[in-house]
């Protein structure tokens, strides 16, 4: 596992470098589903063969990589059957994504919302879990943005750092779970306006 050294400021808030390092975990719903299918196939393959490695043809057909390929091939060929099990899938995949305590950004949460929301009721437990975790991670993203603003002297720097923060955290362009991300940026820019006007008129 790749070791990433996080740099923490004195009050323990994630810095820009930690936010960038958070992009390493592959927590997209499809990535988590692929890993889940692979692990299940690996355990089944091991138990069926009694723990003995073999290169027989029937064994290769049940090998984990083949099982993953067959699983996603079936989903592509029969989309209706994939949609029919979306609720069961959400019960498995969403807790894995939301349960991650470190390295979780907004991107996989937004992806999970897009993946499962069209197929679940609005009050479904999986969606509630996504929204609750989104609100928590959004607070971390906004704290990180405040750290990025330190030392900025011009509105252009503020906007550039805001955009980079959005990219690093995978922030959506529209509001989600009732959260309007980075809503305080307008106020920050307003405070910079007199300084910028004075600089341009000098």
């Amino acid at each position: 596992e790749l070791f990433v050294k996080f740099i923490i400021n004195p009050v323990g808030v994630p810095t820009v470098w930690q936010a960038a390092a958070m992009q390493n975990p592959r927590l997209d719903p499809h990535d988590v589903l692929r890993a889940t299918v692979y692990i299940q196939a690996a355990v089944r393959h091991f138990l069926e063969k009694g723990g003995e490695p073999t290169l027989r043809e029937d064994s290769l057909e049940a090998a984990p990589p083949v099982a993953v390929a067959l699983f996603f091939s079936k989903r592509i060929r029969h989309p209706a059957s994939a949609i029919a099990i979306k609720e069961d899938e959400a019960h498995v995949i969403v807790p894995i994504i939301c349960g991650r305590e470190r390295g979780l950004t907004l991107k996989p949460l937004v992806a999970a919302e897009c993946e499962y929301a069209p197929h679940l009721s609005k009050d479904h437990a999986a969606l509630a879990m996504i929204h609750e975790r989104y609100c928590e991670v959004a607070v971390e993203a906004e704290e990180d943005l405040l750290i990025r603003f330190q030392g900025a002297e011009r509105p252009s720097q503020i906007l550039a750092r805001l955009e980079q923060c959005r990219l690093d955290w995978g922030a959506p362009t529209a509001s989600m779970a009732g959260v309007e991300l980075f809503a305080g940026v307008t106020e920050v820019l307003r405070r910079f306006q007199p300084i910028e006007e004075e600089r341009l008129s000098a």
Side-chain angles (χ1 to χ4, degrees):
E1 182 179 356
L2 178 64
F3 175 78
V4 180
K5 183 178 180 180
F6 293 146
I7 303 176
I8 306 295
N9 72 352
V11 294
V13 180
T15 66
V16 175
W17 304 109
Q18 182 175 7
M22 286 177 179
Q23 295 301 308
N24 289 325
R26 301 180 62 179
L27 294 174
D28 181 89
H30 289 174
D31 292 329
V32 176
L33 180 60
R34 185 182 301 109
T36 303
V37 174
Y38 187 96
I39 292 171
Q40 290 178 340
V43 172
R44 189 182 305 114
H45 185 63
F46 180 84
L47 294 177
E48 287 178 353
K49 302 305 175 183
E52 294 296 330
T54 177
L55 293 178
R56 295 202 310 270
E57 184 176 350
D58 60 337
S59 174
L60 293 177
E61 291 178 356
V66 178
V68 171
L70 292 174
F71 176 84
F72 281 97
S73 174
K74 182 179 179 180
R75 286 170 65 93
I76 295 173
R77 290 183 291 109
H78 305 287
S81 63
I83 293 175
I85 63 170
K86 280 293 182 181
E87 183 171 5
D88 294 334
E89 181 182 311
H91 280 302
V92 176
I93 304 303
V94 170
I96 294 176
I97 297 174
C98 295
R100 188 178 184 94
E101 296 182 0
R102 291 180 176 272
L104 181 62
T105 62
L106 298 169
K107 185 176 182 179
L109 296 171
V110 174
E113 164 88 2
C114 295
E115 181 73 19
Y116 300 117
H119 312 289
L120 304 176
S121 61
K122 292 183 179 179
D123 58 348
H124 196 279
L127 293 181
M129 186 180 299
I130 292 172
H131 294 164
E132 180 181 358
R133 197 71 178 97
Y134 181 91
C135 292
E136 295 172 352
V137 178
V139 172
E140 298 177 8
E142 292 190 332
E143 289 175 346
D144 180 50
L145 180 62
L146 292 177
I147 295 174
R148 295 173 188 244
F149 282 169
Q150 293 177 7
E153 300 178 350
R154 300 179 182 178
S156 59
Q157 293 176 324
I158 292 291
L159 293 174
R161 296 179 188 188
L162 169 63
E163 183 60 26
Q164 188 59 51
C165 187
R166 283 189 178 277
L167 292 174
D168 289 343
W169 285 88
T173 54
S175 63
M176 174 177 158
V179 176
E180 188 69 38
L181 276 173
F182 312 134
V185 173
T186 303
E187 176 62 21
V188 174
L189 291 173
R190 188 186 66 79
R191 294 177 184 177
F192 270 87
Q193 186 174 358
I195 302 175
E196 185 69 5
E197 291 176 349
E198 181 180 350
R199 186 185 67 84
L200 292 176
S201 61

